[in-house]
Amino acid sequence: MAKSIVQLVDELPEDNITVKVLKALDFVAPGEWNNLVGFDKTIAHFTGETDPKTLQRIRDRAASLYLDPTQGYQGAVGLYQAIDKADVAMGTAALANKVGEKLSFLSFLSNITPKADTTQTIDLLLKIAIEVIAFCKLNGIPQPNPQIFANSLTKNYHNAGSIRMVALVCIDGLLPLGPNFLTKIHAIIKNINPGNIAGNPVFSGIQDQLPGETTGDRLGFVNQCFSAVEGWMNQLVAQTGITPESIFNHLGNFIQMADDNLDFVAAFLDQTTNYYEHTGIQTVAQRLILDAYESLQAEGESLSDQDSDNEDGNGEFSVGDPVEVWDKKEEDWYEAKIRKIKVKKDKTRYYVHYVGYGSSEDEWVKEKHVRGGNLEDADENGYAVGQKVKVWDDDEEEWYTARIQKIDGNQYRVHYLDEDDFEDEWVDLDEIC
């Protein structure tokens, strides 16, 4: 019997080679991925709910949705699992499951042979195709559409999905194929024919998941997927400046590297990690939890005995208001609209939808992280008296919420929320955001 989504998330490892590798890649997408383990913890992270009864209701609804054959959640998890299982050529479970210690793989290199460039290219292309299909399943798109996926990848692919695509570029692209991996892939694609791909073990493992009646049709779809995301991959490399050497160096901070032959390193990681399955489960869990949470709210179910609706805007804002929301990871404000409001233990929270992003990014945020936008009386720097801002504290290395009281050129007198008046101070322009 297949495991439930709750079991899958609860059983995710907190620390193994896969987790170490993904953490090492944080330098490419800083703060994007958090290794959320445990279904209730994941619910709390994405909904802000902590009441045990509320967690149970969301968990039960999510488990039910996951088993619904008309939904794409279980199918997406199956795709992520299939691509990793098909890509593992040797058993290294004992090594992969070692936790909390530096890992040396020198003794394993003699048992691992790097893939030929053509085989590596096919594997990378198939992973992209699987990502496109899984995305469409999760978003209710009847037919896999590479261009819709590419648009979403550019605009709003975040969290586990983002680090998964970063790992794809680094582990399956740059390390084994080199800095000009995109050019090399193009050259290899020109010489690939249905006969080449039919014998690939990864293709054999997932070919039934690809659209098309013949191997040629399926190969055509795979090429379409690559063409759709090639621009994003090229932009990622250009913007971050990542190289095979920089990836290797950052991996060395988490795993003891005993060899600097990068194609051998790539082969080792390919065969000892399951980053597609690991982050794929997390992606499905996030979407599933948000959908379950929204469906319960749409039915008018009270999710917590301590919650009360505040639709009339008794707090600082009302439903429908355009606002700006502080993103702690990006350290910047993003345009959003308030969709729901709730009060919990006299604390107001807002459920916001980010302008230009998909509904999967909707989330509950604290009132201190929300401010009004489009101020008519703003100064030349875009600030106004009464405006909520974030002030940087060099000593604490942290942003604090405050309101502007007075403006004198590029100097701003601020009052910190929840602090006494004697904490008020003048700060420079470069200290606020």
Side-chain angles (χ1 to χ4, degrees):
M1 181 180 294
K3 293 182 179 180
S4 70
I5 187 63
V6 176
Q7 287 177 291
L8 290 172
V9 177
D10 284 346
E11 293 175 2
L12 286 174
E14 294 186 3
D15 189 19
N16 66 353
I17 288 186
T18 297
V19 175
K20 291 179 187 297
V21 169
L22 293 172
K23 286 182 177 179
L25 297 178
D26 181 74
F27 82 101
V28 184
E32 193 65 55
W33 179 69
N34 180 15
N35 187 33
L36 290 172
V37 175
F39 204 76
D40 284 357
K41 182 179 178 181
T42 306
I43 293 174
H45 178 83
F46 287 114
T47 68
E49 300 288 354
T50 56
D51 175 67
K53 292 183 179 179
T54 302
L55 295 177
Q56 180 67 53
R57 291 170 185 163
I58 299 172
R59 183 169 63 249
D60 290 346
R61 176 60 59 88
S64 177
L65 287 174
Y66 182 70
L67 296 175
D68 186 346
T70 66
Q71 306 293 327
Y73 310 110
Q74 199 165 11
V77 167
L79 288 168
Y80 290 127
Q81 291 175 325
I83 194 69
D84 265 334
K85 289 178 181 177
D87 206 25
V88 173
M90 59 180 288
T92 52
L95 177 62
N97 290 329
K98 292 182 70 175
V99 176
E101 57 187 87
K102 289 186 176 180
L103 304 171
S104 172
F105 57 80
L106 180 61
S107 61
F108 289 85
L109 292 180
S110 60
N111 299 320
I112 298 176
T113 302
K115 297 174 183 175
D117 287 352
T118 298
T119 302
Q120 181 63 49
T121 295
I122 293 174
D123 289 359
L124 182 148
L125 296 177
L126 291 174
K127 284 184 176 178
I128 295 173
I130 286 298
E131 187 70 21
V132 171
I133 298 171
F135 169 84
C136 292
K137 283 182 177 292
L138 289 176
N139 288 276
I141 301 170
Q143 297 297 324
N145 189 311
Q147 194 55 56
I148 291 178
F149 167 75
N151 292 340
S152 179
L153 179 62
T154 301
K155 294 179 180 178
N156 60 1
Y157 231 55
H158 294 296
N159 304 320
S162 175
I163 199 67
R164 184 168 56 256
M165 292 301 293
V166 165
L168 173 69
V169 172
C170 294
I171 297 174
D172 291 284
L174 282 165
L175 278 181
L177 297 175
N180 297 319
F181 74 104
L182 291 174
T183 301
K184 185 174 290 187
I185 289 172
H186 269 292
I188 291 173
I189 286 177
K190 291 181 180 179
N191 296 315
I192 291 180
N193 59 51
N196 294 139
I197 199 170
N200 181 278
V202 178
F203 178 81
S204 299
I206 66 167
Q207 61 178 322
D208 291 341
Q209 307 290 345
L210 301 171
E213 296 296 325
T214 67
T215 299
D217 293 339
R218 292 163 181 161
L219 178 58
F221 171 77
V222 169
N223 288 340
Q224 289 175 28
C225 293
F226 172 70
S227 296
V229 304
E230 181 186 4
W232 176 85
M233 298 171 79
N234 186 56
Q235 185 178 35
L236 175 70
V237 175
Q239 289 182 342
T240 60
I242 50 175
T243 64
E245 290 74 23
S246 67
I247 297 167
F248 176 82
N249 290 336
H250 280 84
L251 287 170
N253 294 329
F254 291 83
I255 304 171
Q256 182 178 334
M257 294 297 188
D259 194 291
D260 60 0
N261 191 329
L262 297 182
D263 56 349
F264 275 98
V265 173
F268 170 81
L269 296 177
D270 201 24
Q271 297 171 9
T272 58
T273 63
N274 64 331
Y275 74 86
Y276 243 71
E277 178 182 9
H278 188 106
T279 61
I281 289 171
Q282 290 174 327
T283 291
V284 174
Q286 175 186 347
R287 182 57 182 267
L288 190 58
I289 286 167
L290 291 173
D291 287 349
Y293 192 50
E294 186 172 344
S295 71
L296 288 169
Q297 291 179 316
E299 293 170 5
E301 181 167 343
S302 175
L303 291 178
S304 173
D305 295 336
Q306 296 175 333
D307 288 357
S308 63
D309 291 334
N310 192 25
E311 297 286 333
D312 294 331
N314 295 328
E316 189 174 351
F317 303 103
S318 301
V319 171
D321 283 353
V323 293
E324 293 180 342
V325 180
W326 178 254
D327 187 311
K328 292 187 289 186
K329 294 179 182 178
E330 299 294 334
E331 297 186 341
D332 203 356
W333 297 90
Y334 285 83
E335 293 183 25
K337 280 193 175 183
I338 293 175
R339 287 188 166 178
K340 300 183 182 77
I341 304 172
K342 70 178 179 181
V343 178
K344 188 172 185 178
K345 295 182 180 180
D346 297 325
K347 299 287 186 180
T348 302
R349 286 177 178 257
Y350 299 98
Y351 190 71
V352 300
H353 170 73
Y354 293 98
V355 177
Y357 292 85
S359 60
S360 62
E361 301 300 319
D362 296 357
E363 63 177 342
W364 287 100
V365 294
K366 296 178 181 179
E367 189 169 36
K368 69 178 182 178
H369 297 317
V370 181
R371 73 179 186 185
N374 301 322
L375 299 173
E376 295 181 359
D377 54 350
D379 66 2
E380 61 181 12
N381 297 316
Y383 297 109
V385 172
Q387 184 181 14
K388 190 182 294 182
V389 295
K390 295 290 182 176
V391 182
W392 178 253
D393 186 310
D394 276 331
D395 294 332
E396 298 294 331
E397 294 188 344
E398 188 173 346
W399 291 97
Y400 288 92
T401 309
R403 285 191 186 278
I404 296 175
Q405 291 182 311
K406 297 178 182 179
I407 299 177
D408 184 5
N410 289 334
Q411 294 277 313
Y412 298 86
R413 186 164 183 81
V414 298
H415 170 74
Y416 294 97
L417 270 60
D418 301 323
E419 298 291 342
D420 294 326
D421 292 346
F422 68 81
E423 299 286 349
D424 296 355
E425 63 176 340
W426 286 93
V427 296
D428 296 328
L429 174 63
D430 60 4
E431 296 177 89
I432 65 174
C433 184

